[in-house]
Amino acid sequence: VQLQASGGGLVQPGGSLRLSCVASGSISRINSMNWYHQAPGKQRELVATITSRGVTNYADSVKGRFTISRDTAKNTVYLQMNSLKPEDTAVYYCNADVFNIHELRYRNHWGQGTQVTVSS
């Protein structure tokens, strides 16, 4: 199973970006899909999560500005980021719990990260 994140870049404060993350490989079903970010010198933090039923949860710092969504048929999770602030600058990682048909349990997988820089 591989997770491929894309959509990062440089944006001015107040701007928007949309991140995407596609899961590929031997996938029967995916439970939660998540976005984390890691700023320089800081620990990786959970930004947003969405369950298989579409229940979402957000870090307080992004509530009202970011929206997580998923396309189950495409094994893809999105993060729409609006009203971006300089403190949103970080590498953003996608993460998913994917059912392993050989081990008959969920395994957690990480994508490679995509850089988001908010600066004027």
Side-chain angles (χ1 to χ4, degrees):
V1 174
Q2 291 186 330
L3 300 181
Q4 182 69 42
S6 62
L10 173 64
V11 64
Q12 292 186 341
S16 298
L17 281 175
R18 189 192 194 207
L19 306 183
S20 300
C21 177
V22 181
S24 62
S26 180
I27 298 172
S28 62
R29 58 183 181 268
I30 301 175
N31 194 3
S32 65
M33 301 187 82
N34 317 292
W35 287 99
Y36 286 74
H37 70 194
Q38 187 168 19
K42 295 187 176 181
Q43 290 188 334
R44 193 172 297 188
E45 298 178 332
L46 180 62
V47 174
T49 187
I50 184 167
T51 71
S52 58
R53 296 186 178 186
V55 177
T56 60
N57 198 17
Y58 299 91
D60 288 341
S61 60
V62 307
K63 282 180 181 177
R65 301 188 298 121
F66 291 10
T67 302
I68 189 171
S69 61
R70 66 191 285 176
D71 185 330
T72 301
K74 296 181 178 180
N75 294 327
T76 301
V77 62
Y78 305 97
L79 186 67
Q80 178 66 43
M81 305 186 294
N82 298 329
S83 303
L84 282 161
K85 305 175 181 180
E87 50 263 43
D88 295 319
T89 295
V91 178
Y92 283 72
Y93 298 90
C94 57
N95 170 277
D97 292 324
V98 182
F99 190 76
N100 185 300
I101 61 173
H102 302 294
E103 299 179 5
L104 299 180
R105 66 184 182 97
Y106 283 93
R107 275 195 168 272
N108 191 254
H109 297 269
W110 289 93
Q112 86 287 4
T114 184
Q115 176 70 47
V116 171
T117 303
V118 185
S119 174
S120 55

